[in-house]
Amino acid sequence: MDFISILSIFVLACFVGYYVVWSVTPALHTPLMAVTNAISSVIIVGALIAAAASGAGAAGGTSKWLGLLAVVLASVNIFGGFAVTQRMLAMYRKKAPAGAQK
Amino acid sequence: MEHTTAVNPWVALAYLIAGVCFILALRGLSSPATSQRGNRMGMIGMAIAVVTTLVTHVPVNRMGLVLTGPEGEVLTAGSFVASIDTLAVVEILAAILVGAVIGIVTARRIAMTAMPQLVAAFHSLVGLAAVLVACAAFLNPVAFGIADVVTPLIGPPFATIHPVSRIEMILGVAIGAITFSGSVIAFLKLNGNMGGKPILLPQRHAINLGVALAIVWFAFGFWMSQSPFDFWMVTILSFAIGFLLIVPIGGADMPVVVSMLNSYSGWAAAAMGFTLHNSAMIITGALVGSSGAILSYIMCRAMNRSFLSVIAGGFGASAEPGGAAAASDRPWKRGSAEDAAFLMQQAEQVIIVPGYGMAVAQAQHVLREMGDKLKEHGVRVKYAIHPVAGRMPGHMNVLLAEANVPYDEVFELEDINSEFAQTDVAFVIGANDVTNPAAKTDKSSPIYGMPVLDVERAKTVLFIKRSMGGVGYAGVDNDVFYRDNTMMLLADAKKMVEEIVKNLD
């Protein structure tokens, strides 16, 4: 992909982000932060590439270990982020119909 | 010239689908009813991105081989696949597993009141991961497909990173490092390891400007020369400026800081996405970046302060003495738990206004109990949330949800503010500045112009506060304390509400 097509994706995604985020209800702003946190860990893609590369020489070896460490950090974030979001969202419930509430 | 890894259209498509899943994940948050489905979309997107990368980047053992043309130029990348490197595969899967265990255990155990710290900690991890990936890409650019291998006539072959990739990379490492050190400071402040009071260095604006200029200078140098020295200088200075930027910002401004760091973590991911030509990363980065930016904007608007004034820091550090002195000599009424219980039982409608103090006292569960008791007495109970109540956007909503308060009893400021005039009792628990009428009338007040909850319009205001001495974060006295229709309940928030619940039987 050339730079301009990448830039196009980026600019359009910023607009999508703008409209999607404004439609998020303020009550869910904390889960929003938690889930954006989890998805920004898609940076794990870069970490996996680094960790999988056959490192030639010292620099390559270091690069591989940095990649592996980044994989650990990013996956803490992915699993932790989605799990904590799930936990929070499960707590939001509507008013129970009269009588059903204990 | 283009030396990127051969882009398989199916792979590109998979990353695009992952990106779309992330958009749908945020879209789901527009209502609590669709939010869980949205979160699952996010997980699916992440799974697609990770599996695609794993499948297309299987670690292999390579046999070294350099095919050179007649003039010594390298014809092939210099190696061919001999076998799958099982050890590396195991290492990668182990790394994911270790992260997964830590992440899931943390997510399960964390108390809801500690959510702001947790989010700050997670931000720091994204930042650090971005820095590590950028460093890895710098050290081994050929593996990322962002460099050409040049074989000079004399000396060993070396890789020149494409100039555009250099810019993207240096941006990624700088934003990542700022996110990391800034989030660590935010975490320490939110977690109470570091005082919430702003720490003001002398000449901090000059220092920050100097460091920022130095970063730009070294980044420019890196772009020109690909010099390792410039790269590491940018990394180190960015860590430093993240630290310097957040240290002077006080505790109650943390909602803006946390949102801002959220935004940065997105931009860091986007910069790395540019480096790797990966659409999933770019889309995510743009989404997260704009999400954080919008949240910071909403928080700043809710405090009627400019983003720059929050970032400049120091708010609430100097105003304190004046406010505290004026506090003592005006008459005020003290109430007891019995009085409060009696008043609320008689009421038709009670609006509860929670603030950070409720989170500190962990009073949300007993507060919901009080609400239930009141409902048994036929009282309408509503909750009013100010956007900056607590330490992060939506903090109060999560705590109330945790305590099983139905979300349709919880209202935002603009939806409920007109109702205070028809309300019998406004019950303020752990909030202060967000109820201060000075924001509407006193032009000299530091919080003038900030939208506030009109609690003083209610027939009676019950105001839980630990003592009369302290002032809110902004360091200003609150006129509500001294009004005829206000009754101060001086005690720990949780104990007071427990007392009231006992008296409601």
Side-chain angles (χ1 to χ4, degrees):
Chain A
M1 273 193 286
D2 59 295
F3 182 73
I4 285 299
S5 11
I6 297 178
L7 189 67
S8 318
I9 297 180
F10 177 70
V11 172
L12 293 177
C14 283
F15 277 93
V16 172
Y18 179 85
Y19 288 105
V20 168
V21 172
W22 272 115
S23 75
V24 171
T25 165
L28 292 178
H29 276 164
T30 298
L32 171 68
M33 303 201 81
V35 83
T36 48
N37 214 321
I39 64 174
S40 59
S41 304
V42 71
I43 202 150
I44 196 173
V45 168
L48 288 170
I49 295 175
S54 51
T62 318
S63 165
K64 188 185 145 174
W65 285 107
L66 291 177
L68 276 176
L69 184 56
V71 170
V72 175
L73 297 181
S75 66
V76 169
N77 228 332
I78 291 172
F79 287 91
F82 281 122
V84 87
T85 310
Q86 192 63 38
R87 201 180 132 201
M88 278 192 273
L89 292 177
M91 298 184 317
Y92 284 82
R93 44 180 78 93
K94 257 194 149 103
K95 205 180 303 187
Q101 205 170 13
K102 32 167 204 170
Chain B
M1 223 3 244
E2 273 296 306
H3 199 88
T4 49
T5 33
V7 180
N8 178 335
W10 293 107
V11 173
L13 188 66
Y15 284 130
L16 183 63
I17 293 172
V20 172
C21 286
F22 294 146
I23 296 176
L24 294 174
L26 297 198
R27 179 71 200 146
L29 290 174
S30 57
S31 115
T34 55
S35 57
Q36 297 202 39
R37 204 183 329 144
N39 196 39
R40 278 192 290 275
M41 285 310 280
M43 294 183 202
I44 293 171
M46 189 59 76
I48 294 175
V50 170
V51 170
T52 307
T53 314
L54 284 174
V55 171
T56 51
H57 291 85
V58 179
V60 287
N61 293 312
R62 284 175 184 276
M63 300 287 278
L65 179 72
V66 182
L67 282 180
T68 47
E71 273 145 59
E73 77 272 23
V74 177
L75 289 180
T76 72
S79 62
F80 63 91
V81 175
S83 63
I84 290 179
D85 184 351
T86 354
L87 178 65
V89 175
V90 172
E91 281 169 353
I92 290 174
L93 294 179
I96 296 178
L97 190 71
V98 169
V101 171
I102 300 174
I104 291 176
V105 169
T106 317
R108 289 248 166 97
R109 292 213 178 141
I110 193 88
M112 281 298 143
T113 39
M115 202 49 68
Q117 295 90 297
L118 181 74
V119 168
F122 278 166
H123 285 155
S124 74
L125 295 185
V126 181
L128 191 56
V131 172
L132 294 176
V133 172
C135 292
F138 172 64
L139 293 171
N140 193 3
V142 180
F144 285 80
I146 54 171
D148 292 314
V149 178
V150 177
T151 314
L153 289 174
I154 311 154
F158 61 90
T160 53
I161 304 172
H162 304 146
V164 177
S165 302
R166 288 181 202 164
I167 302 176
E168 295 157 353
M169 206 163 160
I170 207 73
L171 269 177
V173 80
I175 304 173
I178 294 174
T179 313
F180 172 71
S181 56
S183 301
V184 168
I185 301 298
F187 171 82
L188 293 175
K189 288 197 171 200
L190 289 165
N191 205 30
N193 306 89
M194 204 169 150
K197 282 251 169 281
I199 299 166
L200 302 177
L201 299 171
Q203 296 297 317
R204 61 204 157 88
H205 294 307
I207 296 175
N208 289 349
L209 189 67
V211 177
L213 287 176
I215 291 174
V216 174
W217 168 255
F218 286 115
F220 182 75
F222 178 72
W223 176 53
M224 296 299 285
S225 65
Q226 196 190 319
S227 111
F229 175 75
D230 288 341
F231 184 85
W232 299 120
M233 281 312 283
V234 169
T235 314
I236 293 167
L237 289 174
S238 302
F239 278 126
I241 203 167
F243 173 82
L244 291 170
L245 278 175
I246 308 303
V247 157
I249 303 180
D253 280 340
M254 280 300 143
V256 181
V257 171
V258 175
S259 319
M260 183 186 81
L261 292 166
N262 182 247
S263 180
Y264 288 178
S265 69
W267 302 130
M272 294 319 297
F274 271 96
T275 313
L276 302 178
H277 296 200
N278 183 301
S279 56
M281 282 167 91
I282 294 171
I283 294 175
T284 315
L287 286 178
V288 179
S290 26
S291 160
I294 291 173
L295 288 177
S296 327
Y297 169 77
I298 295 175
M299 294 300 116
C300 288
R301 194 182 54 179
M303 297 192 292
N304 190 37
R305 294 178 50 207
S306 74
F307 184 69
L308 278 178
S309 95
V310 174
I311 295 311
F315 190 70
S318 55
E320 191 141 26
S328 48
D329 43 350
R330 291 169 66 186
W332 49 276
K333 270 189 292 190
R334 180 172 189 154
S336 66
E338 294 96 85
D339 303 336
F342 178 77
L343 273 166
M344 286 196 281
Q345 251 169 331
Q346 306 300 316
E348 213 164 285
Q349 170 157 299
V350 172
I351 298 181
I352 298 171
V353 180
Y356 182 57
M358 179 193 81
V360 175
Q362 303 259 21
Q364 67 272 29
H365 297 280
V366 57
L367 189 66
R368 196 258 314 157
E369 237 178 274
M370 185 186 93
D372 288 350
K373 282 265 162 66
L374 288 172
K375 279 188 250 171
E376 282 168 26
H377 285 96
V379 183
R380 245 190 340 248
V381 179
K382 292 182 177 175
Y383 297 80
I385 312 279
H386 192 279
V388 290
R391 286 293 185 264
M392 71 185 291
H395 192 186
M396 293 297 119
N397 303 77
V398 171
L399 294 181
L400 292 178
E402 186 202 9
N404 273 326
V405 172
Y407 61 79
D408 35 11
E409 289 177 8
V410 183
F411 297 88
E412 302 301 318
L413 178 134
E414 56 268 34
D415 299 327
I416 200 165
N417 228 0
S418 58
E419 280 194 39
F420 279 104
Q422 293 95 48
T423 297
D424 304 290
V425 178
F427 187 85
V428 184
I429 171 167
N432 187 354
D433 291 338
V434 298
T435 65
N436 195 337
K440 290 176 281 190
T441 51
D442 180 5
K443 284 204 172 138
S444 64
S445 170
I447 57 170
Y448 179 72
M450 166 173 149
V452 287
L453 290 157
D454 300 332
V455 290
E456 78 280 1
R457 301 236 168 108
K459 269 191 212 115
T460 309
V461 182
L462 296 174
F463 208 113
I464 300 191
K465 204 167 174 297
R466 211 165 307 164
S467 69
M468 282 306 281
V471 286
Y473 172 68
V476 278
D477 201 14
N478 192 342
D479 202 39
V480 169
F481 304 159
Y482 313 106
R483 293 179 78 100
D484 287 340
N485 61 341
T486 302
M487 197 184 269
M488 300 300 295
L489 305 170
L490 299 185
D492 171 75
K494 192 174 176 185
K495 288 209 188 89
M496 178 51 80
V497 180
E498 279 167 357
E499 282 294 304
I500 296 175
V501 169
K502 270 185 220 151
N503 281 294
L504 275 173
D505 290 322

